[in-house]
Amino acid sequence: MRGIVEGFEGNYVIIEIDGETRDVDRSAVKFDVEVGDCVIFQEGTWVVDSKATEERARHMKKLMEDVWND
């Protein structure tokens, strides 16, 4: 399962999974996860997918550049 971290609320991490947001208990998410990270569920824990996060950041940057250059 894959998702994108949308934010943090109290003891929960909000993760978008397949277009829907879910509140996931912080104990099920690795401590180094940040807002905007792509995450993958492995062995009972949500961990950062570094490659997917970097690709997403590049894609978002390109989108922003395209908007400002129009």
Side-chain angles (χ1 to χ4, degrees):
M1 192 171 356
R2 296 181 177 277
I4 299 171
V5 176
E6 297 291 323
F8 300 90
E9 288 186 15
N11 291 325
Y12 295 97
V13 179
I14 295 91
I15 301 177
E16 180 185 328
I17 304 166
D18 296 328
E20 295 183 19
T21 57
R22 297 188 191 173
D23 295 344
V24 177
D25 195 276
R26 281 186 188 241
S27 65
V29 180
K30 194 148 181 194
F31 70 93
D32 61 344
V33 169
E34 298 178 359
V35 172
D37 282 347
C38 295
V39 290
I40 188 166
F41 193 68
Q42 293 181 331
E43 300 176 13
T45 303
W46 288 94
V47 297
V48 176
D49 181 337
S50 298
K51 183 177 178 184
T53 298
E54 289 173 16
E55 289 173 3
R56 181 174 183 271
R58 278 194 300 272
H59 177 72
M60 298 301 286
K61 182 178 179 183
K62 172 126 177 52
L63 287 175
M64 292 303 295
E65 288 171 354
D66 289 347
V67 167
W68 291 109
N69 289 329
D70 282 345

